[in-house]
Amino acid sequence: SGSTTLRSSSSSSHHEKLMDFNNDWSQVASSLLDAKEAATLGDVNKCYEAQSNLHSSFNHLFGSYSGNWLVPALHVVCKHTHRLAVACATKKDHSKMQNAVNLLQESFSRCLNDRKEYQPNAPWSDEGSKKAGVLYIVNQLFAMYFRLNTLRLCKNIVRPVESRKLHTSGIKGDMVTYRYYVGRLYMFEDHYDQAEENLDYALVHCRKIAFANKKRILQYLVPVKMLRGRLPTIALLEKYSLKEFLPLVEGLRKGDLRSFNEGLERNQDLFIQRGIYLLLEKCKTVCYRNLLKRVHLFLKDDKPHLALEDISRAFAWLDIRMDLDEIECILANLIFRGYIRGYLSHTKRVLVLSKSNPFPTNAVIIKPSN
């Protein structure tokens, strides 16, 4: 208790001296000392409160100085605010995370609305544009939006960034991180073409030594590519310890619906946590298509059709019980999607296949738009 008293009296004297200066930076320095004292005592909540005051004061000062020489310091402030808010967050209380979002949104606005012309890769100076600091802050906001599950707010920062093309130049690490989050956002919105484009960019431009970051990108890029018909190699999945995808990939490749379902069920909690479970469920359609193709090749004769009873036996062999009406629904969906060329005869209970290319590859393997 004696050491605590000494710290408190020492801190008070520091505050008095700082306030005597009566300058613009006294509040920032005072809050910094409060944060340091709280950190020393291990009080993360008081530490965040001091950091919040510091950030608010810094935002005010940042707008009053010309040039972008304070941008690196602002980035440090944003990073610490974000990390402390995460440290304080609980399952029931996200108030500090919400407060941190507001502080970073203010920092974002002060950078974005700078009137000086942005010159990519220009040195920090009294003449530089504050827009150079936008992308780093956007990435911090993305991380918080995803944690709070408020993805609708992402569009509020994506639109102004991309309309000014601030995501196309600058620090490579910030650009890669931006593309990673935007790719995930497109994935959740079912825009898989844009999701693949952005995640591909992030993977290709990620540093070779950044193994953990590449793995994080692949956790979302792999299922997107699977849905679009391009399966990863076993070597790739083993290299990045993504073995949870192995039974799914093998199931898709062989049309082995049993292996696919077992792999999906075994890692269900993990896939739900990542937000990719429903996406992987959609891949089951490709698995159906490949299974039917194997059945067709196995039973191939002069008649271009498959009896629904034969398809039912193939499902039963995989321990999947379906009546003929369920099988008809699956086949109708495959025909509608263009995965199979042909038509159904309900009265005869057969799938009549096209004589020419009944299982078109280009319907399953979708090439990237770029």
Side-chain angles (χ1 to χ4, degrees):
S1 60
S3 61
T4 303
T5 305
L6 286 172
R7 266 197 298 267
S8 299
S9 61
S10 175
S11 176
S12 299
S13 64
H14 281 311
H15 286 193
E16 291 171 3
K17 290 178 181 178
L18 284 167
M19 299 313 290
D20 286 342
F21 282 114
N22 196 26
N23 61 36
D24 293 339
W25 291 92
S26 59
Q27 186 59 51
V28 172
S30 177
S31 297
L32 182 61
L33 287 174
D34 287 341
K36 181 181 178 182
E37 181 183 3
T40 303
L41 295 172
D43 191 333
V44 68
N45 288 295
K46 283 190 176 180
C47 191
Y48 176 80
E49 290 175 10
Q51 175 67 22
S52 175
N53 292 333
L54 185 155
H55 198 150
S56 180
S57 300
F58 198 97
N59 277 340
H60 177 73
L61 288 169
F62 183 76
S64 63
Y65 284 84
S66 62
N68 62 9
W69 60 279
L70 278 174
V71 164
L74 179 65
H75 286 173
V76 173
V77 171
C78 289
K79 179 177 70 173
H80 289 168
T81 299
H82 176 196
R83 289 184 176 179
L84 282 169
V86 170
C88 291
T90 64
K91 289 184 178 180
K92 295 183 179 180
D93 183 11
H94 294 112
S95 57
K96 289 182 173 60
M97 283 288 290
Q98 296 286 0
N99 176 257
V101 165
N102 293 335
L103 290 168
L104 267 78
Q105 284 175 338
E106 176 66 19
S107 301
F108 166 74
S109 297
R110 290 187 180 277
C111 288
L112 183 71
N113 296 327
D114 188 22
R115 295 182 179 180
K116 289 188 177 180
E117 184 180 356
Y118 173 51
Q119 299 292 336
N121 302 316
W124 310 116
S125 69
D126 293 340
E127 302 299 326
S129 172
K130 293 184 174 71
K131 292 187 181 75
V134 164
L135 210 55
Y136 179 90
I137 299 171
V138 165
N139 291 335
Q140 297 287 323
L141 283 169
F142 273 149
M144 289 191 282
Y145 290 156
F146 274 85
R147 182 178 285 271
L148 291 169
N149 197 25
T150 54
L151 301 187
R152 68 187 185 282
L153 298 177
C154 292
K155 289 295 183 182
N156 296 338
I157 54 179
V158 169
R159 279 191 292 266
V161 166
E162 299 200 350
S163 65
R164 294 168 173 80
K165 299 190 182 302
L166 298 176
H167 65 303
T168 61
S169 58
I171 298 172
K172 183 67 71 176
D174 292 342
M175 294 164 63
V176 167
T177 305
Y178 178 84
R179 292 297 193 100
Y180 162 73
Y181 280 116
V182 170
R184 285 181 62 187
L185 182 63
Y186 278 126
M187 185 195 75
F188 288 127
E189 294 176 344
D190 297 338
H191 299 313
Y192 300 116
D193 188 14
Q194 295 98 318
E196 184 177 8
E197 179 184 345
N198 282 279
L199 290 169
D200 261 333
Y201 178 97
L203 183 65
V204 169
H205 293 88
C206 188
R207 291 188 305 163
K208 290 183 179 180
I209 62 172
F211 184 89
N213 289 343
K214 286 193 171 187
K215 178 180 178 179
R216 195 171 290 116
I217 295 166
L218 285 167
Q219 286 173 350
Y220 299 95
L221 182 57
V222 165
V224 168
K225 285 187 176 289
M226 284 168 59
L227 181 65
R228 292 165 65 78
R230 289 188 297 285
L231 304 182
T233 63
I234 294 175
L236 177 76
L237 297 178
E238 290 180 343
K239 177 181 177 180
Y240 289 98
S241 301
L242 296 170
K243 295 181 180 180
E244 63 270 20
F245 290 115
L246 282 173
L248 306 183
V249 171
E250 287 302 296
L252 286 175
R253 185 174 283 119
K254 298 176 182 178
D256 185 352
L257 199 58
R258 177 169 51 194
S259 295
F260 184 91
N261 285 339
E262 287 175 353
L264 196 61
E265 184 177 356
R266 188 184 311 128
N267 297 290
Q268 179 177 346
D269 292 341
L270 176 62
F271 293 145
I272 290 174
Q273 181 184 349
R274 291 181 188 166
I276 60 175
Y277 182 80
L278 294 179
L279 171 58
L280 292 170
E281 271 278 358
K282 293 180 181 179
C283 295
K284 194 179 291 187
T285 308
V286 180
C287 201
Y288 285 135
R289 179 260 187 196
N290 291 345
L291 171 62
L292 291 169
K293 184 178 180 180
R294 291 174 72 89
V295 172
H296 172 63
L297 291 172
F298 181 75
L299 298 175
K300 192 171 183 181
D301 53 31
D302 295 334
K303 297 178 181 180
H305 62 70
L306 278 174
L308 268 58
E309 285 290 350
D310 290 334
I311 298 173
S312 177
R313 279 193 285 271
F315 280 123
W317 183 74
L318 294 170
D319 295 327
I320 298 171
R321 307 296 171 184
M322 286 189 184
D323 59 36
L324 297 186
D325 289 335
E326 288 179 288
I327 292 172
E328 272 197 30
C329 288
I330 291 171
L331 295 176
N333 187 37
L334 291 171
I335 293 169
F336 174 76
R337 290 173 176 269
Y339 288 1
I340 294 176
R341 294 173 64 185
Y343 64 90
L344 281 166
S345 174
H346 178 71
T347 54
K348 295 182 179 180
R349 293 288 193 173
V350 297
L351 168 66
V352 181
L353 295 166
S354 170
K355 293 182 180 179
S356 173
N357 195 18
F359 297 94
T361 303
N362 60 357
V364 180
I365 302 177
I366 306 170
K367 295 181 179 178
S369 59
N370 57 342

